[in-house]
Amino acid sequence: MKEINPIIKGLKGRVVISCQALKHEIMYGSQYMQKFAESATKGGACGIRANSVVDIKAIKEVTDLPILGIIKKDYENSECYITPSMAEVDALYNEAKPEIIAVDATDRIHPDGKNGAGFIKDIKAKYPDVLIMADVSTYEEGIEAEKAGADIVSTTLAGYTSYTTKTEGPDYELMKKLASALEVPVIGEGRIWTREEAVEAFKTGIYSLVVGTAITRPYDIAKRFCDYVAENVK
Amino acid sequence: MKEINPIIKGLKGRVVISCQALKHEIMYGSQYMQKFAESATKGGACGIRANSVVDIKAIKEVTDLPILGIIKKDYENSECYITPSMAEVDALYNEAKPEIIAVDATDRIHPDGKNGAGFIKDIKAKYPDVLIMADVSTYEEGIEAEKAGADIVSTTLAGYTSYTTKTEGPDYELMKKLASALEVPVIGEGRIWTREEAVEAFKTGIYSLVVGTAITRPYDIAKRFCDYVAENVK
């Protein structure tokens, strides 16, 4: 059994908080992400998931927690957008230097021409010491990601590929299947809105989990709250 | 029956979102409050509760929603701290110009030497056109606030005066008693964390409610989430 890296061990049974805002979002900007990351750190997170070199650099100024870094980028020749190609891995590895790099590990063809497993092998060949978190959407993709050398497998993309269905809440079923089958730690991510859902997710056997929107996207939090009141109060 | 002002009517059955950060908080600063208020507005809020002249001015740049303005200030000669004296009312009325001014309307002696009801009478005498939201902690204070001329009575301070007990969740009991007894609209405020609690609060007969921390204080949201996971996941 592969030994678990101490950085990954620090995530066990705890909550990684994702601090992201894309260009169209109200809170877009590294100065805001820095404040959210500081809030997450002081609030008890075990790690911060963050997008882009500038955000990660800004966040590193305010936290010692491990960063699970990604670069979201759209390509014309691929549906993959979470660290989809080697260009983003290069930027993360050489500039932002997050402790863990999360990548699209779905079976879809990546911008560089390979599927997720092939992409992971290429990354491990180029950067043997990198810790890779494989964002998958299915059980099979998780199996292949582990075989290809991923250090963590995450359910991040379940419901966000054309061939998977978006579950109403978190995809507990996928978490359970992956946690039972894999040797590497499985992280639950995606549609975890409440702390009760987080505890439910841990019962599937996952190693850690990532919560984002429910904590760090005030617009989405406000909308979910107000919509529910509008529907249930006349 | 006193006719309800159209500004107050706009709050009916909907959610006011409080956007506040004090000096010791990570998100302190009008630039952050502005972003939270924009998030709240686009998320469906019916009003914004905000603290201080600078915050209110910044928030007015990004929203057309009515502002429920306060100035938190500590005084040596009084336990009251939410718009406790005429000096804060003057600043709000003349500089920040929120649509509604919320004040401490507890029976405690205010810095100016009167209790909440006396303070409200003084404000109405000085500014007859002002809309006053009376933040109270007990049923009796709500009754006295209405008599004194308050346009709205809010449960904001229930559990935060030495003579009231902090209920675990929202103080539904006080909301119910005030909503049944008063002619002016009653707003539920204080310890509303979930949207389900918000709907429950509306069942007491309140007119509107204020939610703050659960939406606009990421540190508190993160802490509540992580603490719960720490307690329930081993």
Side-chain angles (χ1 to χ4, degrees), chain A residues 67-171:
Chain A
I67 310 293
L68 291 62
I70 61 172
I71 291 180
K72 282 185 175 164
K73 184 157 182 188
D74 290 317
Y75 281 87
E76 296 228 328
N77 65 342
S78 172
E79 286 170 14
C80 304
Y81 59 90
I82 298 177
T83 324
S85 86
M86 193 62 80
E88 291 79 49
V89 174
D90 291 340
L92 288 168
Y93 190 90
N94 297 310
E95 295 173 55
K97 304 187 193 343
E99 283 75 4
I100 296 166
I101 293 181
V103 305
D104 183 306
T106 63
D107 196 40
R108 299 177 295 190
I109 297 302
H110 288 51
D112 294 337
K114 298 192 179 167
N115 71 356
F119 182 42
I120 290 172
K121 280 180 204 159
D122 284 351
I123 300 169
K124 282 284 182 177
K126 189 167 184 180
Y127 303 113
D129 64 333
V130 79
L131 291 175
I132 296 181
M133 173 170 172
D135 290 353
V136 304
S137 71
T138 67
Y139 172 75
E140 293 72 21
E141 289 169 351
I143 301 290
E144 294 307 314
E146 177 177 74
K147 276 191 210 160
D151 301 279
I152 296 170
V153 168
S154 172
T155 62
T156 314
L157 289 165
Y160 301 102
T161 51
S162 60
Y163 46 91
T164 56
T165 309
K166 204 187 266 186
T167 50
E168 170 84 22
D171 196 335

Side-chain angles (χ1 to χ4, degrees), chain A residues 13 26-27 32 35-36 39 42-44 194-195 198-199 202 211 218-219 222-226 228-229 232-233, chain B residues 13 17 26-27 32 35-36 39 42-44 194-195 198-199 202 211 218-219 222-226 228-229 232-233:
Chain A
I26 297 164
M27 291 281 185
Y32 304 113
K35 291 291 182 185
F36 279 106
S39 303
K42 291 185 177 157
T194 69
R195 53 190 197 162
V199 169
F202 271 112
V211 181
Y219 161 74
K223 185 165 181 353
R224 181 172 177 270
F225 206 106
C226 295
Y228 187 82
V229 167
N232 291 282
V233 176
Chain B
I17 297 183
I26 296 164
M27 290 283 184
Y32 303 112
K35 291 291 182 184
F36 278 106
S39 304
K42 293 186 175 157
T194 68
R195 54 190 197 163
V199 169
F202 271 111
V211 181
Y219 161 75
K223 185 166 181 351
R224 181 172 177 270
F225 206 107
C226 294
Y228 187 81
V229 167
N232 292 283
V233 174

